[in-house]
Amino acid sequence: MSSKIKWRKPKQIRNDVIATAKATGHTLQFWNALMVGDHLTLITIMDDDEGCHMINSIYDTSNAEEWKDYRFNYRGLRLWSLTYEQELTTPLHIAAGRGFSECLRHLLQRGADVELSPAGSTALHEACENGHAECAKLLLSYGASANAVSEEGLMPLHMCTSPASLECAKYLLQFGATVNGRSLEEDNTPLHVAAQHGLPGHTELYLRYGAALDRRNDEGSTPLNAACSRPQEAEDLGRYHDVCRMLLAAGADVHTGDQDNQLPLHMACKNVNPDTVDLLLRHGASVNTMCYAGDAPMHNVLKAVAYKATHQPERIVRALLNHGSIRVWPGALPKVLKYCCDSPRTIEVLLNAYDRLKITDTWVENVPPDVFQTHRGFYESLFSLAQGPRSLQHLARCKLRLVLGARVPSAVPKLGLPTFLQNYLLLEFRDYVH
């Protein structure tokens, strides 16, 4: 049987199944207890003759701030709202979504229906989305389906998108969740979701349960592509690197491109994740493959420098050049200078791949005065090259690098040179050019 989820449209019910009424004091007390997790008050109300009917009530919370006028359905039917204004929920959803495990326990003990999904998702989806593991475990132990499909075509595992949801994912798998189940719209597996959100713990867990490394989603991306392509803040770079490390150790292919033929290296360069780029290069990633848009990894990182200078893009440019990347056409260097001038080390390592430079007034004009003043020492050394050739030491470096080509990273350490010369050959940063 295919692991792809087959979505079924929720059953349509006539609008008149929702009873509209002014909330009584009893129902308001029940609602307030739910919202704050007061399980003792809930027990008192639910054990009352009237309160027992509220356990499977369906509430419309689209205007929940107006506490004295909300709609509820005592009949507890599975509903399909025809109007987008409605936001339907149940006591079970509220308790699970807010992590009120004691309230949830008492609702379940009194017969709350774990499969109710008035807004298109079950209470288990809510618990997993918000990372409430104890609630997820309770729902599963009372018969909630670990493979329930929401109206959006998502299983509970697809809702595990935060580090806090790791325990939820463990319980789901223990209760039979399908580790390779596909989402409806994006065709993602749980491993895709973990990769997209940079979740090393989830990634390790799914791999241990046999998650497929080569499954592609609707964009043609494998989990490794997905991990590299997700936009990443500086504080998240380490998490995404860890995910990629686990995927590669499990056998993920660095040469698989998405529907635009963008390889993991293309996207790691675009998102400026230096450690991930180094990792991919160690696993044999190609530095000169072009995507269908005609961009090589070098183009991707240079386009991102202006937005992610704090991500150390110079490290990526250096690594790509050391592994034999194509260089920028010399006539385009002034344009690169204009957009990358806030990262002088990127400019430094890029220009050190050339044995000669034709520096003109345009170069000077492309560096704003405030940037020039901030990095005055570097730019003075660069613009002084307009009056003379590069140093003999630099020319010797260029010649040796030309001979070694893409073997530079592996060959230079074997030359028996002093460490400072090895670093010089590998384009170590000096914050000036000569």
Side-chain angles (χ1 to χ4, degrees):
M1 180 182 294
S2 169
S3 62
K4 186 169 181 176
I5 299 304
K6 302 297 183 183
W7 177 74
R8 292 180 297 177
K9 186 176 181 180
K11 194 173 181 181
Q12 182 174 346
I13 304 296
R14 293 183 313 165
N15 282 343
D16 61 4
V17 300
I18 300 182
T20 302
K22 289 288 183 179
T24 65
H26 215 60
T27 54
L28 275 177
Q29 190 179 17
F30 180 72
W31 173 269
N32 285 327
L34 266 178
M35 297 302 288
V36 298
D38 181 358
H39 66 279
L40 296 178
T41 299
L42 278 186
I43 293 172
T44 302
I45 297 173
M46 288 187 294
D47 289 345
D48 181 90
D49 288 340
E50 180 184 347
C52 66
H53 297 293
M54 298 182 188
I55 294 172
N56 286 321
S57 303
I58 294 178
Y59 298 90
D60 178 5
T61 61
S62 56
N63 206 17
E65 67 275 8
E66 297 182 12
W67 294 95
K68 295 185 178 181
D69 188 11
Y70 60 88
R71 289 181 286 174
F72 53 94
N73 171 27
Y74 284 125
R75 297 171 62 182
L77 298 174
R78 184 183 297 272
L79 302 178
W80 180 38
S81 171
L82 296 178
T83 57
Y84 69 88
E85 292 89 352
Q86 288 181 323
E87 296 177 11
L88 304 178
T89 191
T90 72
L92 209 61
H93 284 74
I94 295 170
R98 290 177 173 245
F100 298 145
S101 57
E102 284 304 311
C103 291
L104 188 68
R105 188 189 311 276
H106 292 300
L107 288 166
L108 291 168
Q109 289 173 346
R110 287 159 177 77
D113 186 350
V114 294
E115 298 301 334
L116 275 179
S117 54
S121 62
T122 67
L124 183 56
H125 286 88
E126 294 279 337
C128 293
E129 181 179 10
N130 292 287
H132 299 310
E134 187 60 29
C135 291
K137 182 181 179 182
L138 274 170
L139 290 164
L140 288 163
S141 64
Y142 274 83
S145 172
N147 292 311
V149 183
S150 72
E151 193 171 299
E152 296 178 344
L154 301 174
M155 294 191 307
L157 271 181
H158 293 115
M159 309 302 290
C160 295
T161 59
S162 68
S165 66
L166 177 58
E167 292 301 314
C168 294
K170 290 179 180 178
Y171 287 131
L172 288 168
L173 290 167
Q174 290 170 9
F175 279 83
T178 304
V179 75
N180 287 317
R182 304 289 194 100
S183 63
L184 174 68
E185 293 185 3
E186 297 178 336
D187 218 18
N188 281 328
T189 66
L191 189 57
H192 280 96
V193 175
Q196 290 168 350
H197 290 85
L199 302 175
H202 293 67
T203 299
E204 182 182 20
L205 175 68
Y206 299 155
L207 290 173
R208 194 162 68 243
Y209 273 80
L213 290 164
D214 57 352
R215 298 287 174 86
R216 295 172 179 261
N217 61 17
D218 65 344
E219 295 179 343
S221 295
T222 65
L224 180 59
N225 295 114
C228 294
S229 62
R230 192 68 169 230
Q232 302 161 22
E233 298 300 325
E235 62 270 20
D236 299 326
L237 296 178
R239 292 194 293 112
Y240 282 95
H241 168 263
D242 289 343
V243 169
C244 291
R245 176 178 51 79
M246 292 175 184
L247 294 172
L248 288 166
D253 185 6
V254 296
H255 304 296
T256 300
D258 61 16
Q259 62 186 6
D260 297 319
N261 198 39
Q262 295 190 107
L263 306 182
L265 185 60
H266 282 96
M267 302 312 298
C269 289
K270 183 177 182 178
N271 287 312
V272 194
N273 190 326
D275 289 334
T276 298
V277 168
D278 288 339
L279 178 69
L280 294 168
L281 291 173
R282 288 198 300 271
H283 281 79
S286 171
V287 295
N288 288 322
T289 298
M290 292 191 177
C291 66
Y292 294 148
D295 290 331
M298 179 64 80
H299 298 124
N300 278 5
V301 65
L302 291 178
K303 289 178 181 179
V305 170
Y307 311 102
K308 298 195 173 183
T310 59
H311 286 212
Q312 297 182 301
E314 65 273 12
R315 286 181 51 198
I316 294 179
V317 175
R318 178 188 177 191
L320 293 175
L321 289 171
N322 283 338
H323 282 81
S325 171
I326 58 173
R327 300 177 301 174
V328 177
W329 173 58
L333 287 175
K335 183 177 181 181
V336 173
L337 178 64
K338 178 178 181 179
Y339 291 104
C340 300
C341 59
D342 276 323
S343 176
R345 282 192 165 185
T346 298
I347 301 298
E348 174 191 348
V349 71
L350 185 65
L351 298 184
N352 279 339
Y354 299 84
D355 59 1
R356 65 196 61 153
L357 298 169
K358 187 179 180 180
I359 298 177
T360 65
D361 291 343
T362 303
W363 288 53
V364 179
E365 294 167 0
N366 282 347
V367 178
D370 59 324
V371 175
F372 179 87
Q373 290 300 325
T374 301
H375 307 288
R376 187 183 187 94
F378 171 77
Y379 283 113
E380 284 182 343
S381 73
L382 172 60
F383 298 146
S384 69
L385 296 180
Q387 282 76 47
R390 303 296 298 265
S391 70
L392 183 59
Q393 185 183 43
H394 172 71
L395 295 176
R397 171 171 62 179
C398 289
K399 186 63 176 180
L400 185 54
R401 286 177 59 86
L402 181 63
V403 171
L404 294 176
R407 296 174 297 157
V408 165
S410 59
V412 167
K414 300 176 183 178
L415 295 178
L417 298 172
T419 301
F420 78 94
L421 280 179
Q422 289 188 40
N423 292 338
Y424 183 73
L425 286 172
L426 293 172
L427 304 179
E428 182 183 48
F429 309 114
R430 295 190 167 189
D431 298 317
Y432 65 89
V433 291
H434 65 103

